[in-house]
């Protein structure tokens, strides 16, 4: 009990240290927690959205490419064993035109069937649907558009615009919660008229008997369905966003590994420091009969206590962070998220990593502390030259480096199974960084000697004394330098990768979107699930506008190719459009000719995933059954993360029964761009359409990435903060240890300013000695990440080392070191000399 | 005391108080003291009588609560911290009971430190350090680290460090306190020898035999000078008031 009290009073006695350790744990836990939570939330966002939309239906039957079909084509579904009820619906997207502009809405048209005609949510105003010219809206959504019951609104679809009256408002639950309330309920008849598909539906929703195995029913149905129709779980519509999100998710999980490693080293650092200070006390405990095991347990209990508190705070901080991050992700996704998906996993991770990393980081030093001969510490005997080079961490470092090296090679050579590839990057990153830190005591002396040699002529006696002080505590110093080094490595590697990738995306957008203007109904979402189509007749209208040189039609079709959910990009090509494809093959002409002949051009990501090359064949599930097309070539593509297939629009129209256009790409005659912009703006204004200039489109891409990139920068800033905490720690420790020496220097010769420099030079020494290894390792890692992008995301991005960026990172590294040294330096310079001379 | 030459140290009404209320201690309660150049003055007194405090104030390591201190005609209380440091660096040598060498530096580097900090080129600083080490009889130990030397040797290195700047005043607080009889004798002989060369020394000691090597013994009690007597140039004379001092 007394020992327990000792733990507590020890933590309270040094509030700064305790807070620092807590800070490390909080950083790690918050990072892991927030990122896990956000990935969970966004990964499930689409699935959950479509799950809500269908509610009771376990399965649905849809046409390939998601167009309309005659309900009778599916045959007598209720006769299939296990199927309880089959309800035909229209569930497709239109643009709701209001005074505030067009908004993409899901239109759900249900039949007179009692159970489904009335949407599940409670009616909060007006009445249920009674006529075919009525709609019901979701209350919060209607409010945001400033419309109430009885208001007249227009819905625009591929078949043109129609006017409706708002019959009632619903509470946003169940299907009404879809995409933040962006859903409109109409009668089936009204939907058929609106979308110009008389007698047709877009889905037949199926309820299954209680206890029936959905998988079996799905298989039975699949056998019975005619070509062109398919059965699936409603939530699978969410898959289409998955591909686009993958790279971001991977970036985030890698960062969570970084935050753990960074956090663990803050803990290790401050724990080493507190042990150093308490040597004598621990020796006294040992001398009066406290056993080694009790000492170890005492120290671990301290760590555990901090770990638990840190976990709690970390979860709170993580929740806040994830809100910010979710906001950024929402921008990227283009759909409204329902809120946090509070699953168990992030909490479990936090519980493991909070106390876990606190204990893990303290275990080795605690064991060592318990093993120390008490007499030496009691008598205050100085250790021999420095605290020496330790074999065990070095060995562990070598092993970790070997393992991560082997894994990187295996990853790049494509030897790893797919499931492993998806989860490996984060642990790999963690391992790589930890091995770097563990090996640093072996590398640091060389770096430090180089720095000392380089700067000897430049800095005076303060610099020399500083270097010696650093060398004297080689382990502590090298761990601190390593943390700084890790900050630099992470910043350079992640920053380089992000910059290169963004550069690639921007180049791609420049190359593929050559049209001057884009006309569309609403902005698309990442999964291409809620974009509304425009009437095809608009093509001719647009082409007839003065100043228009050319109009190309583009459709995004959710389809299945080679068994994968892909986005089919259906567009018209002409000879000039060769430039619009970011073709990897040398012979563009041949690729375009292939497209005209009905061949497909695939994104590099799909090619990588399915191991396809030009000349191979690709199986598409179409309205006409399975079709095999030849792959004409590969392109860099960022739509759907590159898991995309280009088809000539005429070909695709037939294969997927496309009716309507997602985007009209309008090119102006030379010199007519500005005046055409005005004419088009008026045209779109009149029809409630969205007009994007080429610059605006690219700006939007820029912004979409901006949210996530901003967050990545924020996390990197955090990494530097962590590193600076380590430096504050180490330098404060150095100053405390040097108290007497500083007093001697002060009494013999040195002014306050010089003492301050003595400490600042230590920081500078730390910073400088981490620059070279940090930059080298950072660039190597950046290059490896670049290579692995090919395997992980299937994107081939040119690697360009940006000298200015690297220089800026190095500058940030030195600035961080110096800024962190400020307080220890001040403390040192303000020592009361007389008392300090007596300091033991 | 020669009245024609200005004193090396001139102290008037020096007061220093530590703490307040319950814990208030008047370490120095009005000390007046003049030290002529090239004299060896020993300060004695019971533990807690204010000897170290006096030395610290003269060295400008701490500030008094009253009185004045002039060192070589310079009013050190009028100087700011930087200037006092400069004064210490260029004109005062300090020797402590605990040697206070820097562990990481060799003897020679320790000795040359005040010069190097003052911006004197390395070559010259090293040369002068070697000279100073030679003066204290350690000419061949320059490359040794403090931990490779005996206590007596370390203290001689500390004295060399104090001497290397050719100080106006050498301040020593129990320089023999951590040394055995033999080494203590050697250090005192060295100091005595320096005075013969014209060095002014103010030394605190508990050892009557060592004090007897001085030109003059000042005895403190409760922060006041209670005895002040001249000796005949380092001869071992009996000391009056010795029983009080101990
Ligand atoms: N920093 C301080 N805070 C409080 N009191 C102090 C401080 N320094 C000295 N004193 C007190 O001032 C008085 C004089 O102390 P000083 O160190 O000058 O004595 P001293 O004569 O050198 O003693 P010793 O022979 O033991 O070294 C003592 O009572 C001491 O307790
Ligand atoms: Mg004393």
């Amino acid at each position: 009990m007394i020992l327990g009290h000792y733990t507590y009073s020890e933590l309270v006695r040094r509030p700064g240290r305790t807070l620092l350790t807590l800070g490390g744990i909080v950083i790690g836990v918050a990072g892991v927690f927030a990122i896990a939570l956000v990935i969970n939330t966004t990964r499930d966002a689409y699935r959950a959205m479509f799950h809500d939309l269908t509610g009771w239906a376990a399965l649905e039957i849809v046409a390939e490419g998601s167009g309309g079909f005659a309900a009778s084509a599916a045959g007598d579904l209720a006769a299939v064993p296990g199927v309880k009820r089959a309800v035909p619906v229209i569930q497709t997207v239109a643009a709701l035109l209001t005074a505030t502009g067009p908004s993409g809405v899901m239109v759900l048209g249900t039949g007179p069937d009692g159970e489904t005609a009335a949407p599940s949510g409670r009616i909060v105003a007006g009445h249920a649907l009674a006529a075919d010219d009525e709609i019901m809206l979701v209350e919060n959504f209607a409010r945001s558009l400033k419309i109430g019951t009885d208001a007249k609104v227009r819905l625009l679809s591929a078949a043109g615009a129609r006017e409706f009256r708002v019959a009632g408002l619903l509470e946003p639950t169940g299907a009404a919660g879809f995409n933040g309330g962006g859903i409109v309920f109409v009668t089936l008849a009204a939907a058929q008229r609106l979308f110009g598909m008389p007698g047709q539906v877009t889905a037949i929703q199926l309820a299954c008997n209680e206890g029936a195995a959905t998988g079996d029913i799905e298989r039975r149905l699949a056998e019975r369905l005619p070509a062109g129709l398919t059965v699936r779980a409603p939530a699978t519509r969410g898959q289409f966003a998955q591909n686009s999100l993958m790279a971001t998710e991977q970036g985030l999980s890698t960062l969570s590994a970084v935050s753990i490693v960074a956090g663990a080293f803050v803990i290790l650092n401050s724990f080493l420091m507190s042990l150093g200070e308490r040597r004598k006390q621990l020796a006294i405990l040992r001398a009066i009969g406290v056993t080694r095991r009790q000492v170890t347990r005492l120290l671990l209990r301290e760590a555990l206590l901090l770990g638990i508190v840190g976990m709690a705070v970390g979860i709170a901080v993580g929740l806040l962070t994830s809100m910010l991050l979710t906001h950024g992700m929402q921008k990227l996704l283009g759909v409204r998220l329902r809120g946090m998906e509070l699953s168990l996993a992030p909490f479990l991770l936090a519980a493991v990593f909070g106390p876990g990393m606190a204990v893990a980081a303290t275990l080795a030093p605690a064991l060592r502390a318990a093993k120390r001969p008490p007499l030496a510490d009691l008598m205050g005997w100085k250790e021999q030259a420095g605290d020496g080079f330790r074999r065990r961490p070095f060995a562990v470092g070598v092993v970790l480096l070997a393992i991560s090296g082997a894994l990187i090679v295996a990853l790049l050579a494509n030897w790893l199974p797919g499931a492993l590839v998806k989860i490996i990057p984060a642990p790999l990153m963690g391992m790589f960084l930890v091995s770097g830190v563990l090996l640093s005591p072996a590398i640091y002396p060389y770096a430090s000697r180089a720095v000392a040699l380089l700067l000897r002529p430049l800095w005076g006696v303060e610099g020399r004394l500083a270097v010696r002080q650093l060398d004297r505590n080689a382990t502590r110093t090298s761990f601190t330098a390593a943390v700084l080094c890790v900050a630099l490595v992470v910043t350079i590697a992640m920053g380089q990768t992000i910059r290169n990738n963004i550069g690639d995306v921007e180049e791609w957008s420049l190359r593929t979107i050559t049209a001057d203007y884009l006309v569309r109904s609403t902005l698309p979402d990442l999964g291409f699930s809620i974009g509304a189509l425009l009437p095809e007749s608009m093509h001719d209208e647009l082409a007839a506008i003065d100043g228009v040189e050319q109009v190309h039609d583009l459709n995004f079709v959710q389809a299945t190719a080679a068994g994968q959910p892909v986005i089919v990009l259906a567009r018209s090509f002409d000879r000039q459009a060769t430039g619009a494809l970011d073709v990897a093959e040398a012979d563009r002409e041949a690729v375009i000719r292939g497209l005209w002949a009905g061949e497909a051009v695939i994104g590099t990501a799909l090619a990588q995933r399915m191991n396809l090359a030009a000349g191979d064949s690709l199986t598409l599930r179409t309205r006409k059954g399975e079709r095999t097309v030849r792959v004409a070539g590969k392109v860099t593509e960022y739509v759907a993360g590159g898991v995309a297939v280009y088809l000539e629009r005429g070909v695709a129209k037939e294969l997927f029964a496309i009716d309507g256009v997602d985007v009209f790409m309008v090119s102006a005659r030379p010199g007519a761009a500005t005046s055409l912009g005005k004419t088009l703006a008026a045209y779109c204004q009149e029809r409630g359409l969205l007009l994007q200039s080429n610059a605006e489109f690219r700006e939007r891409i820029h912004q979409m990435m901006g949210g996530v990139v901003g967050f990545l920068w924020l996390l990197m800033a955090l990494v530097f903060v962590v590193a600076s905490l380590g430096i504050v720690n180490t330098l404060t420790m150095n100053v405390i240890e040097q108290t007497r020496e500083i007093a001697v220097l002060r009494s013999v010769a040195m002014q306050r300013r010089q003492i301050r420099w003595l400490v600042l030079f230590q920081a500078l020494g730390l910073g400088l000695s981490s620059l070279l290894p940090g930059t080298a390792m950072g660039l190597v890692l950046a290059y490896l990440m670049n290579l692995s992008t090919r395997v992980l995301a299937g994107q081939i991005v040119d690697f360009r080392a940006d000298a200015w960026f690297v220089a800026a990172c190095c500058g940030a590294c030195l600035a961080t070191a110096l800024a962190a040294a400020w307080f220890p330096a001040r403390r040192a310079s303000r020592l009361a000399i007389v008392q300090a001379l007596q300091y033991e | 005391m020669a009245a024609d030459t200005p004193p090396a140290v001139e102290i008037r009404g020096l007061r220093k108080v530590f703490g307040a209320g319950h814990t208030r201690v008047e370490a120095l309660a009005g000390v007046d003291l003049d030290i002529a150049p090239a004299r060896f003055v020993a300060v004695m007194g019971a533990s807690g009588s204010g000897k170290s405090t006096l030395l610290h104030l003269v060295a400008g390591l701490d500030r008094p609560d009253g009185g004045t201190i002039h060192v070589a005609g310079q009013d050190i209380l009028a100087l700011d911290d930087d200037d006092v440091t400069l004064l210490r660096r260029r004109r005062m040598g300090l020797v402590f009971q605990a040697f206070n060498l820097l562990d990481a530096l060799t003897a020679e580097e320790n000795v040359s430190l005040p010069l190097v900090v003052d911006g004197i080129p390395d070559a010259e600083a090293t040369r002068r350090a070697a000279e100073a080490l030679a003066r204290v009889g350690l000419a061949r130990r320059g490359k040794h680290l403090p931990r490779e030397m005996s206590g007596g040797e370390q203290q001689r290195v500390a004295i060399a460090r104090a001497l290397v700047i050719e100080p106006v005043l050498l301040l020593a607080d129990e320089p023999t306190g951590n040394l055995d009889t033999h080494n203590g004798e050697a250090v005192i002989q060295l100091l005595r020898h320096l005075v013969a060369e014209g060095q002014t020394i103010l030394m605190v000691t508990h050892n009557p035999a060592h004090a007897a090597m001085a030109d003059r013994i000042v005895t403190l009690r409760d922060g006041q000078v209670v005895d002040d007597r001249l000796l005949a140039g380092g001869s071992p004379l009996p000391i009056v008031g010795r029983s009080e001092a101990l």
Side-chain angles (χ1 to χ4, degrees), chain B residues 204-238:
Chain B
V204 169
T205 183
H206 277 293
N207 188 326
H210 294 166
M213 297 287 284
D215 297 321
R216 176 181 167 198
I217 300 177
V218 174
T219 307
L220 292 183
R221 190 163 62 200
D222 297 336
Q224 283 176 316
V225 178
V226 293
D227 190 54
D228 186 348
R229 54 183 50 224
L230 290 174
L231 304 176
S235 55
L237 291 180

Side-chain angles (χ1 to χ4, degrees), chain A residues 468 740 746-747 749 751 754, chain B residues 81 88-89 98 100 104 109:
Chain A
R468 287 204 200 196
R740 198 184 172 111
R746 285 278 287 133
S747 66
Q751 294 171 335
Q754 292 173 303
Chain B
D81 188 84
R88 267 202 307 274
R89 187 196 291 169
N100 282 338
E109 287 170 329

Side-chain angles (χ1 to χ4, degrees), chain A residues 94-106 135-149 151-155 166 169 179-184 336 522:
Chain A
L96 180 68
L97 308 177
T98 61
T100 52
S103 1
V105 288
M106 178 63 75
I135 60 171
M136 291 186 83
L137 291 175
V138 181
E139 192 208 2
N140 57 352
F141 182 67
R143 199 172 340 111
S144 74
L145 297 176
K146 298 189 180 66
I147 43 183
T149 47
K152 297 261 195 304
V153 295
R154 286 193 307 149
L155 281 168
V166 179
L169 300 179
N179 191 21
I183 182 165
V184 171
R336 282 170 286 262
T522 51

Side-chain angles (χ1 to χ4, degrees), chain A residues 17 273 277 476 726-739 759 820 823-824 827:
Chain A
R17 174 88 34 76
M273 180 169 160
E277 263 185 16
R476 185 197 305 154
I727 294 169
V728 172
N729 228 337
T730 296
L731 292 182
T732 307
M733 184 73 177
N734 281 0
V735 167
I736 290 172
E737 276 186 6
Q738 278 175 292
T739 298
V759 179
F823 278 101
R827 178 178 177 154

Side-chain angles (χ1 to χ4, degrees), chain A residues 29-46:
Chain A
V29 170
V32 174
F33 182 82
I35 288 172
L37 191 57
V38 165
I39 289 181
N40 241 340
T41 304
T42 48
R43 182 180 290 164
D44 264 5
Y46 272 84

Side-chain angles (χ1 to χ4, degrees), chain A residues 302-385:
Chain A
E302 209 175 292
L304 193 66
L305 188 64
L306 283 175
I308 291 169
V309 177
M311 174 191 76
V313 181
I315 287 178
V317 174
L319 266 174
L320 285 177
T321 317
S322 63
M323 282 175 196
L324 268 176
L325 187 52
T326 309
H327 188 75
M329 290 296 272
Q330 190 158 290
K331 243 192 205 160
L332 182 76
L333 286 165
V335 294
R336 282 170 286 262
L337 298 173
R338 288 183 309 176
M340 294 298 169
E341 206 59 50
L342 280 181
S343 59
L344 194 60
F347 288 95
L348 281 179
L349 278 177
V352 170
F353 280 112
M357 81 180 177
V359 170
T362 46
L363 191 59
L367 283 173
R368 251 205 3 249
K371 272 196 203 136
R372 294 178 65 82
L375 194 56
D377 288 335
L378 265 184
M379 307 306 287
W381 291 340
K382 286 268 149 55
E383 273 166 274
Q384 292 305 301

